[in-house]
Amino acid sequence: MSVVLKGQGLRVAVLGGGIAGLTAATELAERGVDVTVVEPTGWGGKARSASVPGTGRGGRLDLPSEHGFRFFPGFYRSLPDTLRRIPLDGSPDGVAGNLREATHVLSARSGRVGERLTDVSTAAGARTPSEFLRSLGMETGGRGLTSEELLYFANRMLVYMTSSDERRLGQWESTSWWEFSAADGASDEYHKACVVGATRTVVAARAEVCSAHTVGGFLEAFGYGFLGRGEVLPADRVLNGPTSTAWIDPWVTHLDSLGVRLELGWRVERLTVGARGVTGAELRGPRGERRDLTADSYICALPVHRVGALLDRGLAEADIALKRTSDLRTDWMVGIQFYLTEPVPVIRGHVLFLDSPWALTSISQAQFWDCDFRATYGDGTVADCLSVDISAWDTPGILYGKPARECTRTEVAAEVWAQLCDGLNGRGRTTLHEGLLHSWELDPAVRNLDGPGPAVNDEPLLINTTDSWAARPRAVTAAPNLFMAGDYVRCPVNLATMEGANQAARLAVNALLDASGHPGAPALVHTLHQPEELRRLKEVDGELFAQGRAHILDGPPPWAVSARGRRSPRRVPGGPRGPRAPR
């Protein structure tokens, strides 16, 4: 537990109470700073859990619901550090003691033909790169990839892992994952296993628009964790209860004990800007009342879709460069929970439905929770919660032939259930059937599925499209007392995740402490593992990139053959000296 410093007279207003806002409040309060956090909707932001009103009977709690299941990959280091500092009775490791290892990943296939179960536990010991490829559902023969496809994808990973930082920002940031992985002309199986599966089931982004910088970086980080490189941590962890119960509620209690003022129901309407920076924030309360919040410094920890509304209300006046955030794109990754009358663990971990047109992922939650689910939640007949994320909302389904955005809520639930059954039933085994289904709950942040008007998602997720890095703000702004935090702010984890939000908040706090002259030590911002064995290869690539030359291992795929039988060369954009990396 960090030592709390004595107050230094610095007042900070944190605008937004999601992961970024609560992280910033923690770091500041531990350094004796006077902190006020305002949040319009609920503590924890998109990470919070909720419940289905009126479903509890006989003294039981209402059935738990959420925006989507939470998981903590092994390369998350900043966020677990925060969890360890949140006190929890009986746990010397704080709230981090509520994490449980998810030991397996199932790559489910239609009719269970060609499915693959992978042990990702720490107990499995050291692994080889070929085992990493198999963990992604990639193998040769049968329904799997051809040998040349598997080898080429291995080449793609090696190219990215040995690319210099300059090339990652200067070339791969401008290259879509579709183009980088050479999807054109490849087989459907290659698309599912290597191209689409690597994006939609993780970051809710289309491979055609998501940058290779982002997808390659995520697979690299996950791969090092799976291979046991760097800090040895479980590759996949989940909480032992609903997110708010196991994490957010103890966090809010801890912040209150540190003297943080937590004001729920207040929305930021406008920033007032003067010659010396931000002078105040105009707030609207839960009953429509208005008041001004004043502080010495401000941390804007609002989600990216809410930041846009402030651009014409003071934010752009504070820093005109922040207008670039309006170029950032969001997409939908939405949770739906199916409540089952019997335990259906499937596997002890996550399931990736590679043949699902809606890019489904799921986890059976009751097996990880430290309670008797049937005795704790609902009406006494519910024994499990199958939590599912829907990542593709524009692709026709298998039941109604419509994309999710055009379905009613009931049709979405029926379609998801059909796709789950397609991946988990077959070859003489029936994992799911209608008799198991008690009820379901679709994220209420999605509105208008039953009309009128087009469907709306109140809590979309940032997607890292090509060239989006330049539009993402830094923690420091042109206003000397305004700092940015959130999963869209530039940070070592180049992905809209809880870890990214946590890191961005730490960067904002460090910038604030430095600007104010506060004596508190800076917050630690963890970097991703970079193996020493690849350092020289990256240096060589940096030299090649500066000369405008391609990566030494970068070549066309076996299926890219011209009419003359010669393979088309891969080119480096940006002229003879190569592209310049955004700063």
Side-chain angles (χ1 to χ4, degrees):
M1 182 64 59
S2 298
V3 176
V4 179
L5 302 175
K6 292 184 178 180
Q8 302 293 329
L10 178 64
R11 299 174 304 145
V12 176
V14 178
L15 313 178
I19 301 303
L22 297 182
T23 299
T26 302
E27 298 291 344
L28 290 168
E30 289 180 348
R31 289 160 177 79
V33 175
D34 184 327
V35 183
T36 299
V37 186
V38 293
E39 161 61 33
T41 306
W43 301 120
K46 292 188 290 291
R48 73 188 186 278
S49 53
S51 59
V52 186
T55 55
R57 300 283 191 278
R60 299 176 187 87
L61 302 174
D62 287 339
L63 291 169
S65 65
E66 57 196 350
H67 294 284
F69 55 73
R70 311 262 69 80
F71 79 110
F72 301 75
F75 66 86
Y76 280 21
R77 297 174 62 202
S78 293
L79 188 65
D81 173 68
T82 297
L83 267 61
R84 284 189 288 270
R85 288 151 49 196
I86 301 171
L88 184 68
D89 289 343
S91 173
D93 209 19
V95 165
N98 283 339
L99 292 175
R100 299 290 181 267
E101 182 177 16
T103 58
H104 289 78
V105 172
L106 174 65
S107 297
R109 305 306 303 261
S110 179
R112 307 200 72 155
V113 177
E115 69 178 14
R116 173 168 287 278
L117 180 65
T118 303
D119 186 344
V120 298
S121 68
T122 53
R127 302 176 179 89
T128 65
S130 62
E131 289 175 312
F132 168 65
L133 293 174
R134 292 193 189 100
S135 75
L136 299 175
M138 302 172 194
E139 60 180 331
T140 60
R143 190 173 180 174
L145 305 172
T146 65
S147 296
E148 66 179 16
E149 288 172 331
L150 184 64
L151 287 171
Y152 187 71
F153 187 76
N155 165 268
R156 296 292 80 202
M157 290 303 303
L158 187 58
V159 166
Y160 188 86
M161 291 163 64
T162 56
S163 288
S164 61
D165 291 342
E166 292 81 6
R167 189 181 300 278
R168 293 185 183 200
L169 277 172
Q171 184 176 2
W172 304 141
E173 172 66 19
S174 302
T175 304
S176 72
W177 180 249
W178 182 273
E179 180 185 355
F180 178 83
S181 56
D184 285 335
S187 69
D188 288 342
E189 189 63 24
Y190 183 81
H191 290 167
K192 288 180 180 180
C194 304
V195 186
V196 176
T199 56
R200 290 208 173 184
T201 55
V202 177
V203 293
R206 297 176 180 84
E208 297 88 342
V209 300
C210 194
S211 77
H213 181 206
T214 292
V215 181
F218 170 82
L219 291 178
E220 176 188 46
F222 183 81
Y224 286 141
F226 179 80
L227 295 172
R229 302 303 303 270
E231 188 175 357
V232 179
L233 295 169
D236 189 3
R237 294 161 291 179
V238 297
L239 289 164
N240 65 348
T243 306
S244 291
T245 303
W247 170 23
I248 304 300
D249 292 346
W251 200 0
V252 171
T253 298
H254 176 53
L255 289 172
D256 182 68
S257 73
L258 294 178
V260 175
R261 283 180 292 278
L262 298 156
E263 303 189 8
L264 187 62
W266 292 89
R267 182 180 301 274
V268 181
E269 294 282 297
R270 181 181 300 276
L271 295 181
T272 306
V273 181
R276 296 185 178 181
V278 177
T279 58
E282 182 182 310
L283 308 179
R284 181 185 293 271
R287 292 176 295 278
E289 65 272 39
R290 295 178 180 272
R291 70 178 178 89
D292 291 329
L293 175 64
T294 59
D296 300 309
S297 293
Y298 300 79
I299 293 181
C300 181
L302 299 172
V304 65
H305 63 284
R306 290 182 182 167
V307 165
L310 280 182
L311 289 174
D312 295 328
R313 300 178 181 179
L315 193 60
E317 184 181 351
D319 186 346
I320 191 64
L322 292 175
K323 289 185 72 68
R324 297 274 331 251
T325 58
S326 61
D327 296 332
L328 295 173
R329 292 177 56 181
T330 59
D331 209 334
W332 295 16
M333 192 171 189
V334 176
I336 182 172
Q337 289 78 52
F338 292 96
Y339 305 104
L340 309 179
T341 56
E342 296 295 336
V344 185
V346 185
I347 61 164
R348 191 167 177 80
H350 290 90
V351 182
L352 314 179
F353 294 83
L354 295 186
D355 294 317
S356 163
W358 288 5
L360 304 182
T361 49
S362 76
I363 191 165
S364 300
Q365 294 185 315
Q367 62 185 318
F368 296 100
W369 290 8
D370 293 346
C371 68
D372 181 329
F373 197 96
R374 195 191 303 269
T376 306
Y377 300 102
D379 58 7
T381 67
V382 180
D384 207 347
C385 175
L386 181 61
S387 187
V388 184
D389 276 352
I390 311 167
S391 296
W393 282 75
D394 299 307
T395 307
I398 64 174
L399 193 61
Y400 301 105
K402 297 189 296 185
R405 292 179 197 266
E406 297 178 11
C407 292
T408 65
R409 298 183 78 84
T410 300
E411 287 174 340
V412 168
E415 179 71 62
V416 171
W417 183 260
Q419 293 182 33
L420 293 174
C421 291
D422 179 66
L424 295 179
N425 296 340
R427 304 185 72 179
R429 290 177 290 177
T430 301
T431 303
L432 298 179
H433 57 84
E434 289 293 336
L436 290 170
L437 186 56
H438 174 278
S439 56
W440 53 268
E441 174 73 359
L442 179 65
D443 184 359
V446 177
R447 298 182 289 106
N448 291 350
L449 284 173
D450 297 312
V456 176
N457 186 353
D458 290 334
E459 303 203 30
L461 185 71
L462 172 76
I463 57 173
N464 299 67
T465 57
T466 55
D467 293 318
S468 60
W469 178 267
R472 293 168 60 184
R474 303 174 187 272
V476 177
T477 73
N481 66 339
L482 174 65
F483 307 89
M484 302 297 293
D487 59 14
Y488 55 95
V489 174
R490 298 184 193 182
C491 64
V493 175
N494 180 32
L495 187 66
T497 57
M498 298 185 296
E499 177 79 351
N502 186 278
Q503 287 188 347
R506 291 169 181 243
L507 290 170
V509 166
N510 290 348
L512 187 155
L513 295 176
D514 183 63
S516 64
H518 191 282
L524 178 61
V525 181
H526 300 82
T527 57
L528 296 173
H529 174 68
Q530 296 296 326
E532 179 62 23
E533 300 94 313
L534 300 183
R535 180 180 60 82
R536 181 55 186 149
L537 288 172
K538 292 181 180 180
E539 292 173 351
V540 170
D541 184 61
E543 296 168 4
L544 293 173
F545 182 79
Q547 298 168 18
R549 298 166 63 186
H551 190 289
I552 195 171
L553 299 176
D554 191 16
W559 51 88
V561 180
S562 70
R564 294 183 178 181
R566 294 193 299 269
R567 293 170 181 173
S568 305
R570 295 178 69 86
R571 295 177 294 176
V572 178
R577 293 186 57 82
R580 300 183 65 181
R583 297 185 179 275

